[in-house]
Amino acid sequence: VQLVESGGGSVQAGESLTLSCAASGFTYSRNCMGRFRQAPGEEREGIAVISPGIGVIYYADSVKGRFTVSQDNAKNTVYLQMNSLKPEDTAMYYCAARRGSDFCDARVLLYNYWGQGTQVTVS
């Protein structure tokens, strides 16, 4: 299983970015998928979760209304559209996957597979 992330970068406050996470050896539509981020000196936090057969089941309060997670099953890719970015959104962003649909939530320890991370810097 491999999760490959792309799309990070440096932007000004108020701008937008879209992150992608492409999977190989793993089918998103049948399994739980999460987006996380980790700022320097802080714990990794879950910001969005997609449950198979249900859809998006969780957004962190800090990103609700600004970030949108979606998946393209044909491409086996998950996207994180980030709008109205703020300096406090600066972090390393990760995608992660957990086999099956049980215990599909934002807890870091539940996830079996992780992308390499992509840096987002907002100034």
Side-chain angles (χ1 to χ4, degrees):
V1 176
Q2 190 174 22
L3 305 180
V4 179
E5 304 191 51
S6 60
S10 296
V11 297
Q12 299 291 317
E15 294 183 344
S16 300
L17 275 177
T18 300
L19 307 183
S20 300
C21 182
S24 58
F26 188 89
T27 303
Y28 279 134
S29 63
R30 302 175 185 172
N31 298 282
C32 177
M33 186 275 162
R35 298 299 302 224
F36 296 80
R37 67 184 182 185
Q38 187 168 18
E42 298 187 12
E43 293 186 356
R44 192 168 297 187
E45 64 166 340
I47 56 174
V49 175
I50 298 177
S51 180
I54 297 176
V56 181
I57 59 171
Y58 173 79
Y59 283 111
D61 288 342
S62 57
V63 307
K64 201 173 294 183
R66 300 187 298 123
F67 290 12
T68 303
V69 64
S70 61
Q71 62 185 47
D72 184 331
N73 292 334
K75 296 182 179 180
N76 211 26
T77 298
V78 173
Y79 302 96
L80 182 67
Q81 174 68 41
M82 306 184 295
N83 298 327
S84 302
L85 282 161
K86 305 175 181 180
E88 51 263 44
D89 294 318
T90 295
M92 185 71 78
Y93 283 72
Y94 299 89
C95 60
R98 170 181 170 81
R99 290 202 179 275
S101 59
D102 293 341
F103 305 106
C104 186
D105 60 36
R107 287 175 286 173
V108 171
L109 57 87
L110 294 176
Y111 289 81
N112 310 107
Y113 309 105
W114 291 84
Q116 82 279 13
T118 186
Q119 179 68 37
V120 172
T121 303
V122 185
S123 59

Coordinates of all heavy atoms in Angstrom, one line a residue, residues 52-91:
P52 N -16.4 4.8 4.3 CA -16.9 4.1 3.1 C -18.4 3.9 3.1 O -18.9 3.5 4.1 CB -16.1 2.8 3.1 CG -15.7 2.6 4.5 CD -15.5 3.9 5.0
G53 N -19.0 4.2 2.0 CA -20.5 4.0 1.9 C -21.3 5.1 2.5 O -22.5 5.2 2.4
I54 N -20.6 6.0 3.3 CA -21.3 7.1 4.0 C -20.9 8.5 3.4 O -21.7 9.3 3.1 CB -21.1 7.1 5.5 CG1 -21.6 5.8 6.1 CG2 -21.7 8.3 6.1 CD1 -21.3 5.6 7.5
G55 N -19.6 8.7 3.3 CA -19.1 9.9 2.9 C -18.4 10.6 4.0 O -17.9 10.0 4.9
V56 N -18.3 12.0 3.9 CA -17.6 12.7 4.9 C -18.4 12.7 6.2 O -19.6 13.0 6.3 CB -17.4 14.2 4.5 CG1 -16.6 15.0 5.5 CG2 -16.7 14.2 3.1
I57 N -17.7 12.3 7.3 CA -18.4 12.2 8.6 C -17.8 13.1 9.6 O -18.3 13.2 10.7 CB -18.3 10.7 9.1 CG1 -16.9 10.2 9.3 CG2 -19.1 9.8 8.2 CD1 -16.8 8.9 10.0
Y58 N -16.7 13.8 9.3 CA -16.0 14.6 10.3 C -15.2 15.7 9.6 O -14.5 15.5 8.7 CB -15.1 13.8 11.2 CG -14.3 14.6 12.1 CD1 -14.9 15.0 13.3 CD2 -13.0 14.9 11.9 CE1 -14.1 15.8 14.2 CE2 -12.2 15.6 12.8 CZ -12.8 16.1 13.9 OH -12.1 16.8 14.8
Y59 N -15.4 16.9 10.2 CA -14.5 18.0 10.0 C -14.1 18.6 11.3 O -15.0 18.8 12.2 CB -15.1 19.1 9.1 CG -15.2 18.9 7.6 CD1 -16.4 18.6 7.0 CD2 -14.0 18.8 6.8 CE1 -16.5 18.4 5.7 CE2 -14.1 18.6 5.5 CZ -15.4 18.4 4.9 OH -15.5 18.1 3.5
A60 N -12.9 18.9 11.5 CA -12.5 19.6 12.7 C -13.1 21.0 12.7 O -13.3 21.6 11.6 CB -11.0 19.7 12.8
D61 N -13.4 21.5 13.9 CA -14.0 22.9 14.0 C -13.1 23.9 13.3 O -13.6 24.9 12.8 CB -14.3 23.2 15.4 CG -15.5 22.4 16.0 OD1 -16.3 21.9 15.2 OD2 -15.6 22.4 17.2
S62 N -11.9 23.7 13.4 CA -10.9 24.7 13.0 C -10.9 24.9 11.4 O -10.4 25.9 10.9 CB -9.5 24.4 13.4 OG -9.1 23.1 13.0
V63 N -11.4 23.9 10.7 CA -11.4 23.9 9.3 C -12.8 23.9 8.7 O -13.0 24.1 7.5 CB -10.6 22.8 8.7 CG1 -9.2 22.7 9.3 CG2 -11.3 21.4 8.8
K64 N -13.8 23.7 9.5 CA -15.2 23.5 9.0 C -15.6 24.8 8.3 O -15.4 25.9 8.7 CB -16.1 23.3 10.2 CG -17.5 22.6 9.9 CD -18.2 22.2 11.1 CE -17.5 21.1 11.9 NZ -18.3 20.7 13.1
G65 N -16.2 24.6 7.1 CA -16.7 25.8 6.3 C -15.6 26.3 5.4 O -15.9 27.1 4.5
R66 N -14.3 25.9 5.6 CA -13.2 26.4 4.7 C -12.6 25.3 3.9 O -12.1 25.5 2.8 CB -12.2 27.1 5.6 CG -12.6 28.3 6.4 CD -11.5 29.0 7.1 NE -10.8 28.1 8.0 CZ -9.5 27.8 8.0 NH1 -8.7 28.3 7.0 NH2 -8.9 27.0 8.9
F67 N -12.5 24.1 4.5 CA -11.9 22.9 3.9 C -13.0 22.0 3.4 O -14.0 21.8 4.1 CB -11.0 22.2 4.8 CG -9.7 22.9 5.2 CD1 -9.5 24.3 4.9 CD2 -8.7 22.3 5.8 CE1 -8.4 24.9 5.2 CE2 -7.5 22.9 6.2 CZ -7.4 24.3 5.9
T68 N -12.7 21.3 2.3 CA -13.6 20.3 1.7 C -12.8 19.1 1.3 O -11.9 19.2 0.5 CB -14.4 20.8 0.5 OG1 -15.2 22.0 0.9 CG2 -15.4 19.8 0.0
V69 N -13.2 17.9 1.8 CA -12.5 16.7 1.4 C -13.4 15.9 0.4 O -14.6 15.9 0.6 CB -12.1 15.8 2.6 CG1 -13.3 15.4 3.4 CG2 -11.2 14.7 2.2
S70 N -12.8 15.4 -0.6 CA -13.6 14.6 -1.6 C -12.7 13.5 -2.1 O -11.5 13.5 -1.9 CB -14.1 15.5 -2.7 OG -13.0 16.1 -3.4
Q71 N -13.4 12.5 -2.8 CA -12.6 11.5 -3.4 C -13.1 11.1 -4.8 O -14.3 11.2 -5.0 CB -12.6 10.2 -2.5 CG -13.9 9.6 -2.3 CD -13.8 8.4 -1.3 OE1 -13.1 8.5 -0.2 NE2 -14.3 7.3 -1.6
D72 N -12.2 10.8 -5.6 CA -12.5 10.4 -7.0 C -12.2 8.9 -7.0 O -11.0 8.5 -7.1 CB -11.6 11.2 -8.0 CG -11.9 10.8 -9.4 OD1 -12.3 9.7 -9.7 OD2 -11.7 11.7 -10.3
N73 N -13.2 8.1 -7.0 CA -13.0 6.6 -7.0 C -12.3 6.1 -8.2 O -11.6 5.1 -8.2 CB -14.3 5.9 -6.7 CG -14.9 6.2 -5.3 OD1 -14.1 6.5 -4.4 ND2 -16.2 6.1 -5.2
A74 N -12.6 6.7 -9.4 CA -12.0 6.2 -10.6 C -10.5 6.4 -10.6 O -9.7 5.6 -11.1 CB -12.6 7.0 -11.8
K75 N -10.0 7.5 -9.9 CA -8.6 7.8 -9.9 C -8.0 7.3 -8.5 O -6.8 7.4 -8.3 CB -8.4 9.3 -10.0 CG -8.7 9.8 -11.4 CD -8.4 11.3 -11.4 CE -8.8 11.9 -12.8 NZ -8.5 13.3 -12.9
N76 N -8.9 6.8 -7.7 CA -8.4 6.3 -6.3 C -7.6 7.4 -5.7 O -6.5 7.2 -5.1 CB -7.6 5.0 -6.5 CG -7.7 4.2 -5.2 OD1 -8.7 4.2 -4.5 ND2 -6.7 3.4 -5.0
T77 N -8.2 8.6 -5.7 CA -7.5 9.8 -5.2 C -8.4 10.6 -4.3 O -9.6 10.7 -4.6 CB -7.0 10.7 -6.3 OG1 -6.0 9.9 -7.1 CG2 -6.3 11.9 -5.8
V78 N -7.9 11.1 -3.2 CA -8.6 11.9 -2.3 C -8.1 13.3 -2.3 O -6.8 13.5 -2.4 CB -8.6 11.4 -0.8 CG1 -9.2 12.4 0.1 CG2 -9.3 10.0 -0.7
Y79 N -8.9 14.3 -2.3 CA -8.5 15.7 -2.4 C -8.9 16.5 -1.2 O -9.9 16.2 -0.5 CB -9.2 16.4 -3.6 CG -8.9 15.7 -4.9 CD1 -9.8 14.7 -5.5 CD2 -7.7 16.0 -5.6 CE1 -9.5 14.1 -6.7 CE2 -7.4 15.3 -6.8 CZ -8.3 14.4 -7.3 OH -8.0 13.7 -8.5
L80 N -8.1 17.4 -0.8 CA -8.5 18.4 0.2 C -8.4 19.8 -0.3 O -7.3 20.3 -0.6 CB -7.5 18.2 1.4 CG -7.8 19.1 2.6 CD1 -9.2 18.7 3.3 CD2 -6.7 19.0 3.7
Q81 N -9.6 20.4 -0.5 CA -9.6 21.7 -1.0 C -9.6 22.7 0.2 O -10.5 22.6 1.1 CB -10.9 21.9 -1.8 CG -11.2 23.4 -2.2 CD -10.2 23.9 -3.3 OE1 -9.8 23.1 -4.2 NE2 -9.7 25.1 -3.1
M82 N -8.6 23.5 0.3 CA -8.5 24.4 1.4 C -8.7 25.9 0.9 O -7.8 26.4 0.1 CB -7.1 24.2 2.0 CG -6.8 22.8 2.4 SD -5.2 22.6 3.3 CE -4.1 23.0 2.0
N83 N -9.7 26.5 1.4 CA -10.0 27.9 1.1 C -9.8 28.8 2.3 O -9.8 28.3 3.4 CB -11.4 28.0 0.6 CG -11.7 27.2 -0.7 OD1 -10.8 27.1 -1.5 ND2 -12.9 26.7 -0.8
S84 N -9.7 30.1 2.0 CA -9.5 31.1 3.1 C -8.5 30.7 4.1 O -8.7 30.7 5.3 CB -10.9 31.3 3.8 OG -11.9 31.7 2.9
L85 N -7.3 30.3 3.6 CA -6.2 29.8 4.4 C -5.8 30.9 5.4 O -5.7 32.1 5.1 CB -5.1 29.3 3.6 CG -5.3 27.9 3.0 CD1 -4.4 27.7 1.9 CD2 -5.2 26.9 4.1
K86 N -5.4 30.5 6.6 CA -4.9 31.3 7.7 C -3.5 30.9 8.1 O -3.1 29.8 7.9 CB -5.9 31.2 8.9 CG -7.3 31.5 8.6 CD -8.2 31.2 9.8 CE -9.6 31.4 9.6 NZ -10.5 31.1 10.8
P87 N -2.8 31.8 8.7 CA -1.4 31.5 9.1 C -1.4 30.3 10.1 O -0.5 29.4 10.1 CB -0.9 32.7 9.8 CG -1.6 33.8 9.1 CD -3.0 33.3 8.8
E88 N -2.5 30.1 10.9 CA -2.6 29.0 11.8 C -2.9 27.7 11.1 O -2.8 26.6 11.7 CB -3.7 29.2 12.9 CG -5.0 29.6 12.3 CD -5.2 31.2 12.4 OE1 -4.3 31.9 12.0 OE2 -6.3 31.6 12.8
D89 N -3.1 27.7 9.8 CA -3.2 26.5 9.0 C -1.8 25.9 8.6 O -1.8 24.8 8.0 CB -4.1 26.7 7.8 CG -5.5 27.0 8.1 OD1 -6.1 26.4 9.0 OD2 -6.1 27.9 7.4
T90 N -0.8 26.7 8.9 CA 0.6 26.2 8.5 C 0.9 24.9 9.3 O 0.8 24.9 10.5 CB 1.6 27.3 8.9 OG1 1.4 28.4 8.1 CG2 3.0 26.8 8.7
A91 N 1.2 23.9 8.5 CA 1.5 22.6 9.1 C 1.9 21.6 8.0 O 1.9 21.9 6.8 CB 0.2 22.0 9.8

